[in-house]
Amino acid sequence: VGPIQVGAELPGLTAQTPQLRSNLLAMSDPIRSPREFGLVQKSPSSPFVSRTHRGDLLQVTVCRVRGLKKSALLQRDPKVFVRLVFNDDEKPPETVAVRDTKWDQTFSFKVVDLDTDMLVVQVFHLSRLPTKIAPIFIGMVRLKPKSFIKSQQSYNKKWYVLKDPLRSPESEARSTKRVGTNADTQPAQGTVQRTSSKGPALELLVQYVSQDSIDLSRRAQEKMQRTLTEIWSRPFLKLPVYKDLPRLANNISIGKLPSRTVLFAPSETEIKLSRTAISKLTIRQLARALIECRKIPVHDSRVALAELERDLNRHVLDEGGDAGEQLKNFFESSTVFDHNGRLAAILRCIHQEMIFPVVYRFREAFYEPLPYKDVRGSWKISVNFVKDGSVLVTHQKREQAHSHKEEDYFEFQWELLMHFVSDLDSFVGKAVIVDYGFGPNTSTACKELVERHFKPFLHPKVLFRQRFTTEFEGITK
């Protein structure tokens, strides 16, 4: 969910719920008084001066809510609004809304003034009343971005108790105690029953990202992109495709996105084929996928496939031999294989040198404090044809701690994403860590060190989620 204009139609509200939309819009009116959210009013005689920090960002991840007991009158999940409020009458607050059931979303806000900016997170429940759906205010959290500067290199994932500024602490405590101690008490219509003496709470992950770190990351990304492009753009016969394709073909899959349809993945029988046979099969399947997904005319596709099959059979033998030399002869002598064509554009990505810039970037970033090594047999390559005509080539590898000490053990999985435009003549490369995990005896210090150094590379969709519970079992340290 991207930023929305304050007072505009909010996500998830349809014409069928005009009363709900009206109520929520009323709650989202522009903030006229910063004092309402605990801000200090600027002096009327002094103009507003923005002490901007050159594009520093406040990244907020809304994780989950606890301490609420579900009622038949309430929808399954609350509605959450995240705002960065500025002490400026002419600058409305930036506002985003968290969709129902869509937790672990991350939003970025540009900090304007560290002394007066305020992060405000409001939580509402949607109650199904007999004649309408009405929002019920649960509570809010107010945080100052300034408090997160010193800890910008670490995680700040915490639970924050939701408070209602219109209710006194004494009445809040009495209400919570009354609901929590009487087991026979039923919540009144349209109320929220609290299950904890501390009341409902919201888990947030707040990170302050300085402009310096943003610039450093951008320069590293630009350098990696230049190196990837230089390697990919070399003359085809000077790339080690013919050497590396035979040993990588067993781990290459072809599919479609976003349907995730698998067009080709070597079966157990095909994996046992000779390197020359599996290389021929991979090239053939890539050509067929290009024809199918790029909608090449049937007559042209049949002719192209027949000529490609003929040249493959002529230069690459199924019974074995030096697979690298045979593939080299095919690439040099084939009359149908175009070194600058679309099939060649994909094959240019399938060799060892293509991942060197990513390996170098990770080693430069955190190998010294966190030595690691490859997990044998973990290198996988996928070629996906996207519905919009683009192509996504993904290299995936796993790494694990080099140390044999249990308290120092960690593991992670990274990907190189190469997203080609429809003509396959250029791409955008990105290196991300898509998962990480620890052993049962990993020390807290090691975990904190890993999380601090992995933070700039974590994929946003899997940020702060650790799914490696069984996948790494059996790996030899």
Side-chain angles (χ1 to χ4, degrees):
V1 181
I4 60 175
Q5 296 294 328
V6 177
E9 186 130 343
L10 300 178
L13 305 183
T14 63
Q16 285 73 25
T17 58
Q19 183 63 42
L20 169 61
R21 183 172 66 255
S22 175
N23 291 340
L24 286 179
L25 288 176
M27 297 178 201
S28 302
D29 281 344
I31 299 171
R32 298 179 177 83
S33 173
R35 191 179 301 277
E36 177 187 351
F37 291 99
L39 297 175
V40 178
Q41 286 272 34
K42 62 181 183 293
S43 172
S45 60
S46 61
F48 174 77
V49 179
S50 173
R51 288 176 286 279
T52 180
H53 287 257
R54 299 178 298 110
D56 293 3
L57 298 177
L58 191 70
Q59 293 183 341
V60 183
T61 302
V62 181
C63 303
R64 52 183 172 156
V65 174
R66 73 178 182 189
L68 300 178
K69 186 173 182 180
K70 301 296 186 296
S71 168
L73 298 175
L74 302 177
Q75 287 192 349
R76 181 173 57 181
D77 285 313
K79 178 79 72 175
V80 181
F81 290 96
V82 186
R83 290 172 166 176
L84 187 61
V85 184
F86 311 108
N87 192 17
D88 183 3
D89 294 337
E90 298 181 357
K91 186 176 179 60
E94 294 187 36
T95 303
V96 293
V98 180
R99 292 177 180 173
D100 299 342
T101 71
K102 297 291 185 181
W103 300 108
D104 293 308
Q105 294 186 86
T106 301
F107 308 98
S108 295
F109 299 95
K110 188 174 181 179
V111 177
V112 174
D113 190 332
L114 277 176
D115 293 333
T116 59
D117 287 358
M118 180 72 73
L119 177 69
V120 179
V121 185
Q122 298 169 298
V123 182
F124 299 87
H125 239 317
L126 303 182
S127 176
R128 296 183 180 275
L129 300 179
T131 59
K132 60 181 180 180
I133 299 178
I136 299 175
F137 180 69
I138 298 175
M140 64 191 300
V141 177
R142 294 175 292 184
L143 302 170
K144 291 185 177 182
K146 188 175 182 179
S147 61
F148 296 96
I149 292 182
K150 294 182 180 179
S151 56
Q152 63 177 297
Q153 294 299 323
S154 61
Y155 286 168
N156 299 282
K157 189 174 183 179
K158 298 179 181 178
W159 286 97
Y160 297 91
V161 176
L162 293 170
K163 299 179 180 180
D164 187 343
L166 301 180
R167 300 182 65 180
S168 65
E170 294 78 7
S171 63
E172 185 76 17
R174 287 195 301 269
S175 174
T176 303
K177 183 177 180 180
R178 182 174 63 253
V179 174
T181 55
N182 187 358
D184 298 328
T185 302
Q186 296 296 327
Q189 187 179 46
T191 62
V192 178
Q193 186 174 0
R194 294 161 172 80
T195 60
S196 170
S197 60
K198 295 182 179 180
L202 179 68
E203 188 179 29
L204 296 174
L205 176 65
V206 184
Q207 301 173 87
Y208 191 93
V209 184
S210 68
Q211 183 64 42
D212 291 338
S213 63
I214 295 173
D215 292 341
L216 182 63
S217 177
R218 184 178 65 250
R219 288 194 296 270
Q221 170 64 26
E222 292 173 349
K223 179 181 178 181
M224 188 189 73
Q225 178 69 47
R226 286 195 303 270
T227 308
L228 288 171
T229 303
E230 289 171 1
I231 295 173
W232 183 84
S233 301
R234 293 175 189 168
F236 185 85
L237 294 178
K238 292 188 177 181
L239 293 172
V241 176
Y242 66 92
K243 294 180 182 179
D244 294 337
L245 180 60
R247 66 186 181 90
L248 296 175
N250 284 337
N251 293 320
I252 297 177
S253 61
I254 307 170
K256 290 182 180 181
L257 289 177
S259 63
R260 298 187 179 181
T261 303
V262 178
L263 299 177
F264 169 73
S267 62
E268 294 183 3
T269 303
E270 292 168 338
I271 289 176
K272 297 177 182 178
L273 296 174
S274 64
R275 287 191 169 185
T276 52
I278 192 66
S279 299
K280 286 175 60 176
L281 179 62
T282 302
I283 294 174
R284 188 184 302 119
Q285 293 294 339
L286 278 173
R288 289 178 176 173
L290 269 170
I291 291 171
E292 175 185 344
C293 299
R294 305 308 291 273
K295 295 181 173 55
I296 298 175
V298 176
H299 175 72
D300 295 344
S301 64
R302 288 178 179 175
V303 173
L305 280 177
E307 292 180 354
L308 182 69
E309 190 73 28
R310 180 197 64 202
D311 288 351
L312 276 172
N313 293 332
R314 180 184 302 171
H315 298 287
V316 184
L317 306 177
D318 287 335
E319 56 268 20
D322 190 332
E325 285 300 319
Q326 293 182 42
L327 280 176
K328 185 178 181 181
N329 291 335
F330 163 73
F331 292 139
E332 290 177 340
S333 307
S334 175
T335 58
V336 68
F337 182 78
D338 183 3
H339 294 174
N340 298 314
R342 294 173 178 174
L343 178 59
I346 296 176
L347 291 174
R348 286 172 179 271
C349 305
I350 305 176
H351 58 88
Q352 178 112 10
E353 290 185 20
M354 204 72 248
I355 65 171
F356 280 174
V358 181
V359 173
Y360 177 77
R361 187 180 180 191
F362 285 153
R363 286 184 172 262
E364 188 180 43
F366 52 77
Y367 182 80
E368 184 175 348
L370 296 168
Y372 60 88
K373 59 184 179 181
D374 296 343
V375 174
R376 183 176 299 179
S378 65
W379 188 1
K380 299 183 183 300
I381 302 173
S382 62
V383 180
N384 285 289
F385 295 87
V386 188
K387 188 176 182 179
D388 61 5
S390 60
V391 178
L392 180 65
V393 180
T394 305
H395 291 262
Q396 184 184 90
K397 290 199 72 176
R398 291 178 178 177
E399 316 282 353
Q400 62 180 7
H402 204 286
S403 174
H404 293 278
K405 298 180 180 179
E406 292 187 356
E407 60 269 23
D408 295 334
Y409 184 75
F410 66 92
E411 55 205 18
F412 67 98
Q413 181 172 299
W414 60 264
E415 289 183 355
L416 166 61
L417 308 173
M418 303 175 67
H419 194 183
F420 287 82
V421 294
S422 57
D423 291 334
L424 273 78
D425 56 0
S426 63
F427 69 91
V428 176
K430 185 177 182 180
V432 292
I433 294 176
V434 297
D435 241 325
Y436 66 96
F438 308 101
N441 299 318
T442 304
S443 65
T444 302
C446 178
K447 292 181 180 180
E448 293 177 351
L449 188 65
V450 167
E451 291 173 342
R452 183 166 68 248
H453 284 89
F454 283 8
K455 173 183 170 182
F457 303 99
L458 291 178
H459 193 287
K461 289 186 177 180
V462 293
L463 197 60
F464 320 112
R465 296 180 183 176
Q466 299 173 13
R467 296 173 295 166
F468 287 160
T469 55
T470 59
E471 293 181 21
F472 280 81
E473 290 181 359
I475 292 178
T476 303
K477 298 182 182 179

